[in-house]
Amino acid sequence: MSERGLSSWGRTFPDRGRRAVPASRFDWSEKTATDAFLPYGNGRSYGDSCLNHAGTLIDSRRADAVLAFDAKTGLLTAEAGILLSAITRLVAPQGWFLPVTPGTQFVTLGGAIANDVHGKNHHRRGSFGCWVRSVDLERSDRGVSLCTPSQNAELFKATIGGMGLTGLVRSATIQLLKVPSLTIDETTTRFDRLADYFDLAEEADERHEYAVAWIDSLSRGTSFGRGHLIAGDHAATGDSEGIARPPLLRVPFTPPVSPLRGWPLRAFNEAYFHKAPSGTSRRQVGFDGFFYPLDRIGQWNRLYGPKGLHQHQSLVPFADAKAVIGELLACAGAHGQGSFLTVLKRFGAVESPGLLSFPRPGYTLTLDFPHRGKKTLEMLAALDAITLAAGGRINPYKDSRMTAETFAAGFPGWRALERLRDPAILSDFWRRTALVLPPEAVAAWPADDGFRKGRSSLPA
Ligand SMILES: Cc1cc2nc3c(=O)[nH]c(=O)nc-3n(C[C@H](O)[C@H](O)[C@H](O)COP(=O)(O)OP(=O)(O)OC[C@H]3O[C@@H](n4cnc5c(N)ncnc54)[C@H](O)[C@@H]3O)c2cc1C
């Protein structure tokens, strides 16, 4: 086994990924009583769900071969360590694209399945798991099995969104999406207050393949929650190469204090808001600028300073979302901690096959904060409380500090996942949440997936 330094994107746990072994060379029998394995993709999860400080990470990045691609049907089979960027480069010239893509293309196929990632088209295409046709899953207790919606179906469901806990995905087959080109017809609508966003978002979801909003989280008074709604569709003609431009720049070191706070943040938001003309504007953009703007700045996470960053992603059911999204933004403002990048998105009703998948119908708000110690943690806990009281949940693969109770309240399905967990696999996230919960602690919660439809009071 080699000593390697692997981390997660939030960098709040710089010392946690010391032991790693390549997927091609690891051996389940090397597990000892105090050790455990955990599959690792490309470390683009923000918190500790891809970390395993007391055990060994299985680094899948070099296991990245394409095993089959049918340009007629758009079915692709590849090893789990392949990056989404490599898939795009391969399939775009044949008119295919990823059916669902997160905001970075530097994510592995295995990581996209294990977190059941979502993209800007959730309202039409659901999450990544909806497009997975089969996985080859290797477990310490039963070797490799083919899991599909009808074969080893329970394991298939648990593996999608199962945060790597059900076994090592060796390879997977996914259905790609036929597109006319990768160039995007982009429509940006500037809105002057949060209240204006919701109708625009509904309309955009009806009309466009992709839709997402940027919110100026520092705006106050009558312009509270102002922002841009950015919608997009594949253009009839355009790029069919699928090669993203190289990063514009790379952040070379971690500054001692994050510049993403105070007046620089305020100035950025002000300038960015006015960058879009009032009303609606249209233009054509490249796929990399539309889907992956942050990939153009290498190691941008360093800008959050030496203590790292927290990303708080909440999901609020439709019932009370208009009020609750406002409460969440106001709460962050009241704690004096502006979020650098604030994103608001409407999730649709397409159901994921995944047992513990994050998306459900509702609005999802994503806030990024530099870690400033106790102050930040208190604010994040307040955001959790608002979300839970509205019947919502917090995204576990972005998290590094939610309580076990908060996790269980949002995902009572954790018990089913725990039953199917590979006994040789454990993550820091699971140690910190599920494993500290005695079953009776969550008995008050419904036995289904626990996602409620609106506000309700929490059990004591
Ligand atoms: C700039 C940026 C934008 C993002 N935008 C979005 C977004 O829009 N939507 C979204 O949903 N997420 C988003 N994310 C989060 C990111 O897409 C997910 O965390 C993704 O799953 C990370 O994949 P990874 O390959 O880096 O895996 P890692 O982060 O290394 O691991 C993720 C999980 O997958 C498991 N895993 C990895 N490989 C395997 C395998 N072979 N077998 C079994 N389990 C495995 C790990 O154990 C871990 O639990 C974003 C992240 C960044 C940095």
Side-chain angles (χ1 to χ4, degrees):
M1 293 202 183
S2 63
E3 295 288 321
R4 302 263 304 271
L6 299 176
S7 60
S8 69
W9 196 247
R11 301 171 72 239
T12 42
F13 304 110
D15 53 348
R16 292 264 179 111
R18 293 269 177 261
R19 276 163 63 85
V21 61
S24 56
R25 284 203 281 114
F26 98 101
D27 180 353
W28 292 108
S29 66
E30 286 184 30
K31 176 185 174 297
T32 64
T34 54
D35 197 344
F37 289 110
L38 180 72
Y40 181 88
N42 202 29
R44 258 47 181 190
S45 298
Y46 283 79
D48 54 357
S49 65
C50 63
L51 297 177
N52 179 21
H53 79 279
T56 302
L57 295 170
I58 308 168
D59 183 352
S60 57
R61 288 174 298 178
R62 290 213 186 128
D64 61 354
V66 174
L67 305 175
F69 170 49
D70 184 335
K72 284 204 187 81
T73 61
L75 278 176
L76 172 103
T77 305
E79 289 185 313
I82 192 169
L83 290 176
L84 298 189
S85 55
I87 295 180
T88 302
R89 267 199 311 274
L90 172 78
V91 304
Q94 317 278 345
W96 297 96
F97 186 49
L98 300 160
V100 169
T101 180
T104 171
Q105 58 175 344
F106 302 126
V107 158
T108 62
L109 177 60
I113 294 170
N115 282 345
D116 194 15
V117 297
H118 54 270
K120 296 177 167 77
N121 58 352
H122 185 272
H123 54 284
R124 286 210 180 160
R125 313 286 173 191
S127 55
F128 199 87
C130 298
W131 299 81
V132 177
R133 297 297 171 255
S134 66
V135 295
D136 269 318
L137 187 71
E138 181 175 326
R139 286 177 61 99
S140 66
D141 54 357
R142 54 190 281 185
V144 180
S145 18
L146 180 71
C147 303
T148 76
S150 55
Q151 190 178 337
N152 295 312
E154 213 188 8
L155 263 184
F156 179 79
K157 274 172 71 85
T159 298
I160 290 172
M163 294 186 282
L165 297 163
T166 59
L168 174 68
V169 175
R170 282 289 186 185
S171 63
T173 298
I174 58 167
Q175 173 66 59
L176 298 162
L177 185 71
K178 189 83 183 157
V179 294
S181 86
L182 259 61
T183 300
I184 300 293
D185 287 329
E186 184 187 82
T187 305
T188 301
T189 306
R190 203 170 96 176
F191 52 92
D192 293 327
R193 60 196 69 78
L194 183 65
D196 297 346
Y197 158 78
F198 296 96
D199 288 344
L200 289 171
E202 239 179 287
E203 199 190 318
D205 280 7
E206 273 163 30
R207 294 174 52 178
H208 299 283
E209 173 75 24
Y210 304 105
V212 71
W214 166 80
I215 304 285
D216 174 0
S217 67
L218 298 178
S219 52
R220 300 280 177 271
T222 53
S223 56
F224 175 73
R226 68 182 181 177
H228 303 161
L229 179 68
I230 304 145
D233 298 283
H234 291 273
T237 56
D239 172 28
S240 59
E241 288 192 356
I243 301 172
R245 291 163 294 173
L248 271 174
L249 60 106
R250 189 180 173 80
V251 179
F253 62 91
T254 304
V257 178
S258 170
L260 306 177
R261 52 199 281 183
W263 71 263
L265 187 55
R266 212 168 283 282
F268 171 84
N269 278 14
E270 184 68 23
Y272 192 77
F273 177 74
H274 290 288
K275 192 172 153 254
S278 67
T280 296
S281 52
R282 293 184 177 78
R283 61 176 185 161
Q284 281 202 333
V285 293
F287 80 101
D288 52 350
F290 185 79
F291 294 109
Y292 315 120
L294 288 171
D295 285 352
R296 303 232 53 215
I297 305 171
Q299 295 294 316
W300 60 261
N301 52 350
R302 288 181 175 158
L303 290 173
Y304 283 81
K307 291 185 182 161
L309 80 133
H310 292 279
Q311 184 166 98
H312 189 274
Q313 183 173 15
S314 51
L315 169 53
V316 179
F318 285 127
D320 303 301
K322 290 183 187 176
V324 175
I325 298 295
E327 279 175 44
L328 290 166
L329 288 169
C331 173
H335 281 80
Q337 301 202 33
S339 154
F340 173 59
L341 199 59
T342 304
V343 173
L344 185 53
K345 161 92 195 122
R346 192 173 176 276
F347 278 154
V350 185
E351 240 180 77
S352 165
L355 179 65
L356 238 67
S357 292
F358 173 66
R360 288 287 183 276
Y363 285 92
T364 181
L365 178 71
T366 308
L367 303 151
D368 285 351
F369 303 99
H371 180 48
R372 289 157 72 183
K374 193 164 166 258
K375 223 168 130 177
T376 310
L377 296 176
E378 281 172 3
M379 175 197 57
L380 294 168
L383 296 173
D384 291 352
I386 295 170
T387 308
L388 286 197
R393 47 170 53 167
I394 311 300
N395 189 334
Y397 57 85
K398 307 278 183 87
D399 177 76
S400 53
R401 46 82 242 161
M402 79 166 109
T403 64
E405 288 74 19
T406 299
F407 173 58
F411 296 87
W414 73 268
R415 282 168 289 188
L417 181 57
E418 172 59 12
R419 276 197 301 277
L420 292 167
R421 178 168 64 84
D422 186 309
I425 289 184
L426 211 46
S427 66
D428 286 351
F429 176 84
W430 208 247
R431 281 189 183 91
R432 179 168 66 75
T433 57
L435 289 199
V436 304
L437 281 163
E440 51 293 1
V442 289
W445 293 93
D448 63 11
D449 78 351
F451 190 69
R452 290 163 290 131
K453 305 278 182 234
R455 276 187 204 275
S456 64
S457 53
L458 299 172

